[in-house]
Each structure stands twice: as C-alpha cells, then as structure tokens.
C-alpha cells in the first residue's frame, strides 16, 4: 500500500508540474495589459413615424483585458436616469475562442413614478477568426423587479423572470474602421422581457490610437412574433471614444 501511495503521490506531483505548462498552450487566462476607454454619446430618439421625441446623453467607461471585460455607464434623459454595469470573464481557448460567465446589473429611476432593477447572468462565447472578423453571443437568465411608488404600500415589488440573449458580428473591412451588427433582446440601457428584439448597426472609425468617432442606428420592437408586432423606437446615436492608455 505504501508503494502504491508513493506512486500516486509522484504522479500527482508530476501532473502539477507539467500540466500547467502544457495547458498554457491551450488556454490563456488573462491578458495582463488593460485597455481603458471612456465613451460619451448623444442619442436622438424617434417614434415609429420617425418624428423626433427625445434626446438621451450617455457617459461610460470600459476595461478590456481580452479575457476580462468590465463596463459601467450612465444614461440621462428627461426625468429618467439609467445605470448599467457588466462583467465578463472568458478565458481564451486555442487562440480563437473565449468562453465564460457574464453578469449585468441595470437600474432605471423615473422621478417619483417607478424604480426598475434588472439582474442578468449566464454564459458568454466569442469566436475571433482574425482581427477582421469576430462573432460573440451570450445567453442569460433575466431577473427583473420594479417598484411603482403610487402602489408600493399594497404591492411593494413586481417580479418577473425571463431569458435574454445577444449576438454581435464584428467586421473590420480595413484597419481604422470597425462595423458591428447586433441582434439581441436587450441593449445597455434597455432590458425588456423576452422577446422584444433590438437591431443595431454600429460603425466606429479610429482617427488615432487614442481617439475614435462612432455612430449607431438602432431599431427596437415591442414584439415581432405575434400579430401585434410593434415598432417601438428608432435611435440614432453619435459618440466619442477616448483611450486612456493607447
């Protein structure tokens, strides 16, 4: 028995020494150099008749270490304040695949009318073929609760659960230009119950390593899979991105 235990111990020690170096060729757990950016934008909102109805201003920051991504942002509009934060940790497998958990927290406060909280968590997957093409998707559990101030004495919280997903295709036709197409059930400051689809086309142009300009066209539906399919809003957004450590 002692000889068997000795062999097992030697084998385990061998694995502890050799496995990490072998596994390192397959998995990258973290990219040590962080990319930090700040984004400020203005969104011009229009109804289904394309008539202007609101202007929204946002400010956010992001930390990108390839495997670890953190985001926090605010959006301001008349009487409404939104805050969103998210964390994604997805180690790189075989240099092309990222897979791991993703979590999102969102809150929206509408003056003295209501408070809404959204908590989402689930799996994130990204495939990067090259610098010119990548596709990312996530599938999340969605917990939503809301407090309506006028009835909070009798109904303290309204609670719903749902699912959420997001798929983004990224293409770089040439180095300074990045184009993204996204179809999802949520956006950074909009978290409706499944399935109220959101279609977004984004373009971003790098004028230097530190400065970029971008634009987005976003179409949001209330529902697309019933006879009552309803176009909710069309957004046009312009933004500026500054990289703090280009």
């Amino acid at each position: 028995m002692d000889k068997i235990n000795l062999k097992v111990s030697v084998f385990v020690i061998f694995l502890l020494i050799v496995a990490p170096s072998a596994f390192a060729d397959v998995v990258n757990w973290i990219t040590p150099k962080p990319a930090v950016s700040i984004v400020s934008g203005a969104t011009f909102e229009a109804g289904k008749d394309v008539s202007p109805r609101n202007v929204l201003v946002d400010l956010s920051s992001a930390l990108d270490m390839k495997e670890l991504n953190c985001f926090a942002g605010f959006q301001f509009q008349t009487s409404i304040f939104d805050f969103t934060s998210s964390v994604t940790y997805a180690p790189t497998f075989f240099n092309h695949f990222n897979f791991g958990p993703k979590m999102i927290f969102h809150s929206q406060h509408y003056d003295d009318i209501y408070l809404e909280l959204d908590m989402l968590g689930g799996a994130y997957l990204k495939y990067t073929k090259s610098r010119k093409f990548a596709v990312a998707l996530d599938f999340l559990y969605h917990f939503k609760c809301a407090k309506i101030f006028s009835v909070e004495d009798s109904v303290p919280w309204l609670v719903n659960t749902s699912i959420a997903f997001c798929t983004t295709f990224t293409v770089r036709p040439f180095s300074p230009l990045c184009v993204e197409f996204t179809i999802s059930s949520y956006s950074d400051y909009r978290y409706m119950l499944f399935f109220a689809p959101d279609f977004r086309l984004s373009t971003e142009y790098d004028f230097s390593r530190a400065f970029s300009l971008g634009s987005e066209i976003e179409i949001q539906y209330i529902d697309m899979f019933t006879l009552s399919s309803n176009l909710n809003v069309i957004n046009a957004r312009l933004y500026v991105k500054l990289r703090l450590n280009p």
Side-chain angles (χ1 to χ4, degrees):
M1 290 294 294
D2 291 338
K3 290 183 178 180
I4 294 176
N5 290 336
L6 179 60
K7 290 180 180 179
V8 171
S9 300
V10 171
F11 180 70
V12 170
I13 292 171
F14 175 78
L15 285 180
L16 291 175
I17 294 173
V18 175
S21 59
F23 206 51
D25 294 332
V26 176
V27 182
N28 185 46
W29 300 104
I30 198 72
T31 298
K33 184 180 179 181
V36 182
S37 60
I38 296 177
V39 176
S40 180
T43 299
F44 304 91
E45 185 181 86
K48 62 178 67 178
D49 57 355
V50 199
S51 59
R53 71 183 191 190
N54 203 1
V55 177
L56 307 87
V57 178
D58 61 85
L59 178 65
S60 64
S61 62
L63 170 71
D64 184 357
M65 298 176 68
K66 189 177 180 180
E67 290 77 24
L68 176 64
N69 291 271
C70 303
F71 169 87
F74 303 88
Q75 187 181 77
F76 309 89
Q77 56 181 307
T78 305
S79 304
I80 300 177
F81 172 78
D82 284 90
F83 169 75
T84 298
S85 62
S86 67
V87 176
T88 304
Y89 177 63
T92 302
F93 295 84
F94 303 103
N95 296 319
H96 293 288
F97 295 92
N98 292 86
F99 179 73
K102 179 175 182 176
M103 293 176 290
I104 301 173
F105 172 78
H106 166 254
S107 67
Q108 183 180 84
H109 186 270
Y110 190 167
D111 275 0
D112 297 326
I113 298 176
Y114 70 82
L115 170 66
E116 180 181 281
L117 302 176
D118 296 282
M119 287 161 278
L120 298 88
Y124 171 87
L125 174 65
K126 183 178 182 180
Y127 169 67
T128 304
K129 183 177 181 181
S130 65
R131 178 174 168 78
K132 291 185 176 294
F133 176 78
V135 57
L137 60 94
D138 61 50
F139 189 78
L140 309 174
Y141 172 80
H142 183 184
F143 176 84
K144 177 187 286 289
C145 59
K147 175 182 288 188
I148 301 174
F149 299 130
S150 61
V151 298
E152 65 176 316
D153 290 338
S154 56
V155 184
W157 289 97
L158 299 172
V159 176
N160 285 283
T161 58
S162 184
I163 58 175
F165 87 96
C166 177
T167 303
T168 300
F169 300 89
T170 303
V171 178
R172 283 188 175 271
F174 53 92
S175 185
L177 179 65
C178 180
V179 180
E180 290 187 346
F181 174 72
T182 300
I183 176 172
S184 66
S185 63
Y186 69 89
S187 60
D188 287 340
Y189 304 102
R190 173 185 182 264
Y191 297 85
M192 301 185 71
L193 298 176
F194 193 85
F195 176 52
D198 186 303
F199 301 92
R200 183 167 64 254
L201 179 65
S202 307
T203 59
E204 183 175 308
Y205 191 88
D206 301 333
F207 286 91
S208 69
R209 293 176 61 87
F211 174 72
S212 301
L213 288 178
S215 64
E216 294 179 355
I217 295 294
E218 185 177 39
I219 300 175
Q220 300 174 354
Y221 280 83
I222 294 295
D223 195 355
M224 278 193 71
F225 300 104
T226 69
L227 295 177
S228 60
S229 176
N230 184 25
L231 174 62
N232 183 36
V233 68
I234 301 173
N235 290 329
R237 178 173 178 254
L238 300 174
Y239 66 89
V240 177
K241 176 184 284 187
L242 297 177
R243 299 176 184 86
L244 302 185
N245 55 343

